[in-house]
Amino acid sequence: MTTMQAPIEALRRQPLPGTAKGLGRLARSGPVTAASLAADRLSMFDPGLTMPLMVLREDHLAHNIAAMASYCAAAGVRLSPHGKTTMAPQLFARQLAAGAWAITAANITEVQIYREFGVPRVLLANELTDRAGAEWLAAEMAADPGFECYVYADSLDGVRLLEAGPQARARPLPVLVELGQRGGRAGCRTIDEALAVASAVAAAPGLRLAGVSGYEGSIGHDREPATVQAVAAFCRELRTLAGQLPPAPDGQDGYLVSAGGSSYFDVVVAELTADNGSGPTPPVVLRSGAYVTHDHGFYARMTPSEQPGGSGPQLRPALELWARVLSAPEPGLAIADAGRRDSSFDQGMPIPLRVRRPDGQECDASGLRVTQLDDQHAYLRLPAGFELRPADLVCLGISHPCTAFDKWQLIPVVDEDYRIVDVIRTFF
């Protein structure tokens, strides 16, 4: 049994709360768990469920997890998917079972949640400047010799905050030196600054220099040639930094080099694994997270496989948001019951995919557009001749899963017939 199997099974046996969005009415009718819903194969269109409702397509979810795992294995890189995308331990377990090397976290709170569910290796892709958090982490590593956690540093002050206190640590804390870009977020701005931080880490009690890291996703939000070239240049700079680090500690097999959001991971893999004539390729850790569900908007445009001559896994959008039409107050306009509380909107409005009539008949939603979201309402503009009536259901694709998951504590997973096979819990 893996370290995650028991807490995940316990999670699936917990009764769903009667306050749960979408599932509350069903939960109030009697004890209901994710496991019991999976056994019953209840339809998501059962009157016990309420709209709006976000669901995960099991076939697309399984495809994406396997496709990214295969891509990384073929490229010879380690995958540490960013858990902040979903904050769903059930999905973490599936990603690790498919071969992921670790799960990436954004802060110490996320690391603590991961540990509640037994995640065995975490990459904390951020500076840890909370001394109490660093000491908690040291204690957690001492209590479980099978647990590993890597953290970042980008300053001498940050290194001092990570150093061991009066009592020596049972195991040194692995540290990656972060390299950034001018005007971007965290990270040393020059290689010289990064080398000074690396030297401080190597000399600090209770720390171990483990490699270098960076984030290329903030360089741009398009696939224009200039943006892609800038991403490639940053990756080469990261590789140069890794080649200038002091000799690795005894017993350590080289230094890790980590990068990779979900938009330019093809460039990251190509640049960090290239033979640059400076010796063996370092172990590369890719941190993409949004691939697990993909989307119908931002990542559908940005994913490497969709670019001219692009390569990489063919990903499928796994998230759908179903909303019920409340009103058709004037020609060409309908109002549905999903809004900013239910859907991401920072990288584009939801995309209408299909319409389901009350009798179960479905039709294509081509030409429909969501033009505005209120807190609980979506404004649907209709093409000439197309009608929506109250009680019709509209299936919406989303753009940017990272800001969709955080609006749902419970998300049913459905099969190809829209029967529930699991319920994912999120921990934001």
Side-chain angles (χ1 to χ4, degrees):
M1 177 180 289
T2 68
T3 57
M4 294 193 71
Q5 190 170 348
I8 292 299
E9 284 306 309
L11 190 66
R12 296 186 70 247
R13 292 194 298 270
Q14 285 184 10
L16 305 185
T19 55
K21 184 165 65 171
L23 297 169
R25 181 193 298 167
L26 184 68
R28 288 191 295 273
S29 68
V32 177
T33 67
S36 69
L37 282 176
D40 294 341
R41 289 294 197 271
L42 185 71
S43 170
M44 67 159 279
F45 304 114
D46 185 278
L49 282 74
T50 57
M51 300 295 164
L53 186 66
M54 182 167 281
V55 298
L56 275 164
R57 295 276 302 273
E58 168 60 27
D59 52 347
H60 292 189
L61 184 65
H63 169 86
N64 292 343
I65 291 172
M68 194 62 157
S70 296
Y71 170 77
C72 289
V77 303
R78 304 175 188 182
L79 177 61
S80 181
H82 215 315
K84 70 177 174 60
T85 299
T86 68
M87 285 305 294
Q90 290 151 280
L91 297 183
F92 300 167
R94 293 180 61 168
Q95 290 169 300
L96 289 166
W101 175 75
I103 301 294
T104 295
N107 55 48
I108 196 67
T109 299
E110 291 180 5
V111 178
Q112 291 169 337
I113 293 169
Y114 295 7
R115 289 302 292 157
E116 285 293 314
F117 291 91
V119 175
R121 182 186 288 120
V122 178
L123 196 167
L124 174 48
N126 223 332
E127 282 66 29
L128 177 58
T129 58
D130 170 11
R131 185 179 286 278
E135 292 309 314
W136 172 86
L137 186 54
E140 188 74 4
M141 291 174 63
D144 183 356
F147 171 54
E148 287 186 291
C149 186
Y150 296 74
V151 302
Y152 283 8
D154 72 350
S155 67
L156 299 182
D157 285 340
V159 174
R160 283 190 284 271
L161 286 165
L162 290 174
E163 289 176 359
Q167 295 192 340
R169 289 181 177 144
R171 287 188 289 152
L173 182 62
V175 179
L176 302 176
V177 176
E178 185 179 14
L179 184 67
Q181 313 100 33
R182 187 165 298 279
R185 62 187 199 192
C188 300
R189 292 324 197 217
T190 68
I191 286 180
D192 286 344
E193 288 177 10
L195 289 173
V197 173
S199 295
V201 172
L207 304 183
R208 173 171 66 84
L209 182 61
V212 300
S213 188
Y215 175 60
E216 78 294 340
S218 59
I219 292 175
H221 300 283
D222 56 59
R223 297 287 306 208
E224 294 298 320
T227 304
V228 174
Q229 290 167 12
V231 169
F234 174 70
C235 291
R236 290 193 292 270
E237 189 176 19
L238 196 60
R239 179 81 179 270
T240 297
L241 170 60
Q244 295 182 17
L245 294 178
D250 291 341
Q252 180 171 306
D253 185 18
Y255 291 112
L256 300 177
V257 181
S258 177
S262 298
S263 297
Y264 307 105
F265 60 81
D266 56 332
V267 181
V268 169
V269 169
E271 294 294 340
L272 295 186
T273 63
D275 182 359
N276 64 1
S278 63
T281 301
V284 174
V285 179
L286 189 66
R287 304 192 308 273
S288 306
Y291 78 89
V292 70
T293 62
H294 199 46
D295 70 10
H296 286 90
F298 178 74
Y299 288 115
R301 297 189 300 272
M302 293 289 290
T303 193
S305 64
E306 293 301 314
Q307 310 313 310
S311 61
Q314 297 282 336
L315 301 174
R316 301 173 183 171
L319 277 174
E320 293 178 354
L321 175 62
W322 287 78
R324 194 180 304 279
V325 174
L326 301 174
S327 174
E330 61 189 62
L333 175 65
I335 307 297
D337 64 356
R340 289 188 293 248
R341 305 293 190 192
D342 313 298
S343 176
S344 53
F345 54 91
D346 57 309
Q347 296 286 358
M349 290 289 166
I351 301 99
L353 304 174
R354 299 186 304 285
V355 172
R356 179 184 171 94
R357 307 296 186 183
D359 63 1
Q361 295 296 309
E362 291 195 359
C363 63
D364 184 70
S366 296
L368 276 69
R369 292 182 302 120
V370 175
T371 58
Q372 180 180 334
L373 294 177
D374 290 343
D375 286 350
Q376 314 288 174
H377 299 87
Y379 292 66
L380 287 153
R381 294 292 173 179
L382 316 179
F386 195 101
E387 286 190 350
L388 284 177
R389 298 183 179 89
D392 286 343
L393 295 178
V394 181
C395 176
L396 302 166
I398 59 95
S399 182
H400 196 199
C402 297
T403 50
F405 272 93
D406 62 356
K407 295 169 174 58
W408 294 85
Q409 292 182 327
L410 295 170
I411 305 176
V413 182
V414 297
D415 64 14
E416 295 179 7
D417 296 321
Y418 286 88
R419 294 190 174 277
I420 297 173
V421 298
D422 201 357
V423 179
I424 296 297
R425 291 185 185 242
T426 67
F427 290 83
F428 287 96

